[in-house]
Amino acid sequence: MQLIDTHCHLYSKEFGRDIEEVIQRAEKEGVTKFYLPAIDSKCQEALLTLEARHPGKCVGTTGLHPCHVKADWEAELEFVASELGRRSWVAVGEIGLDFYWDRTFEKEQYAAFHRQIEWALRDRIPIVIHSRNSMQESIGVVREYQRGGGGALRGIFHCFSGDAAAAAAIVDLGFYLGIGGVLTYKNSGLAEAIRDIPLEWMVLETDAPYLAPVPFRGKRNESAYLRYVAAKLAEVKGVTVEEVARVTTENAQKIFGN
């Protein structure tokens, strides 16, 4: 059984002491590839180091996370632009809007989101969207581009935790739902939200070191725990874990092209 963790921050300091063991544990559970979304310029060295240590297995993206859109956001975007010009990337991410912690730079978050979407369209690569407390606003931005650009934009709504209407709207826009540990949380409502969405529009993720699934909730998350998400998704959809693994892996390969 092959699984792909489409979103994990394995380069973060939380894995500084045991990253090799973390990867080995994941591989024992069938996880064959790890996509590493960027946060800002400061994370890039660690991301690239891990990618170089595990070529073809750990695959990085580049982008400016909305929580890191601060006073220096223009300089941070210049860094993303330079990275996009320096080499090929499989995606721009993670990008988007976050209105949970702080809305001080809301206008700048929108500007950064739009600019990075335009770069993704230019380079014909997908985007990975962060949409905490901003689901409808993020859907609205994507809808703008899909209407004006003939549906050329593609990607994943990472850590989807919206309702059934939001799930349907995202799929209607040609985007995939990133399903992680939240699915295993008793009162999340996520199982009901995605019940009628075909597996063909979902990918698996951990968001490690965050959002560990039950029975590890509250602890450091890692990619080995992806199997708990796959098992819960199989239960929700009424299919085997092997079917979930097969379809979600194929979806990840379609999105990222490798």
Side-chain angles (χ1 to χ4, degrees):
M1 186 172 72
Q2 180 184 3
L3 297 168
I4 292 179
D5 191 345
T6 61
H7 197 110
C8 51
H9 302 275
L10 299 185
Y11 56 82
S12 65
K13 65 182 184 299
E14 286 86 348
F15 299 105
R17 292 186 174 185
D18 65 343
I19 183 57
E20 295 306 318
E21 290 87 346
V22 166
I23 289 175
Q24 288 167 14
R25 283 195 292 270
E27 290 178 324
K28 286 179 180 177
E29 297 296 346
V31 184
T32 59
K33 190 165 283 192
F34 311 82
Y35 286 94
L36 313 174
I39 298 298
D40 60 13
S41 62
K42 299 176 188 66
C43 82
Q44 204 77 356
E45 183 180 354
L47 184 155
L48 291 171
T49 298
L50 185 57
E51 189 188 56
R53 198 183 301 162
H54 297 279
K57 187 183 297 178
C58 291
V59 183
T61 71
T62 189
L64 179 61
H65 190 294
C67 286
H68 293 256
V69 174
K70 304 294 183 184
D72 63 346
W73 71 283
E74 288 277 13
E76 284 289 336
L77 281 187
E78 286 178 13
F79 176 81
V80 175
S82 69
E83 284 297 286
L84 287 168
R86 184 178 66 81
R87 55 164 266 190
S88 295
W89 296 87
V90 296
V92 179
E94 64 185 281
I95 66 175
L97 305 169
D98 189 307
F99 300 151
Y100 178 79
W101 295 108
D102 182 10
R103 299 185 78 147
T104 303
F105 293 96
E106 181 174 334
K107 183 179 74 172
E108 291 82 359
Q109 281 192 37
Y110 273 106
F113 193 16
H114 280 276
R115 200 176 303 175
Q116 292 178 98
I117 285 174
E118 286 158 10
W119 291 338
L121 285 168
R122 178 198 66 195
D123 294 349
R124 298 181 178 180
I125 54 177
I127 59 175
V128 178
I129 298 176
H130 174 104
S131 56
R132 190 173 190 187
N133 280 35
S134 61
M135 182 69 69
Q136 292 307 317
E137 293 88 344
S138 299
I139 290 172
V141 171
V142 171
R143 187 175 284 124
E144 284 178 46
Y145 282 93
Q146 296 300 54
R147 282 177 177 167
L153 190 62
R154 56 198 178 89
I156 300 167
F157 270 74
H158 144 65
C159 193
F160 176 75
S161 55
D163 59 16
I170 288 166
V171 168
D172 285 346
L173 289 168
F175 270 66
Y176 291 78
L177 307 177
I179 306 299
V182 173
L183 183 63
T184 69
Y185 300 170
K186 188 175 180 180
N187 298 316
S188 71
L190 186 53
E192 293 72 25
I194 65 172
R195 201 173 298 280
D196 294 330
I197 302 294
L199 265 181
E200 284 69 24
W201 289 103
M202 300 180 199
V203 292
L204 301 178
E205 61 170 65
T206 59
D207 201 20
Y210 315 110
L211 298 173
V214 173
F216 305 101
R217 189 174 183 180
K219 298 179 180 179
R220 184 189 72 171
N221 198 6
E222 58 179 80
S223 294
Y225 301 161
L226 196 63
R227 71 181 184 93
Y228 292 90
V229 180
K232 183 62 177 180
L233 186 54
E235 177 188 319
V236 170
K237 304 304 291 181
V239 299
T240 64
V241 177
E242 288 76 16
E243 178 70 0
V244 166
R246 182 186 66 79
V247 176
T248 57
T249 293
E250 288 176 358
N251 294 342
Q253 291 166 340
K254 284 177 193 173
I255 295 164
F256 294 116
N258 64 5

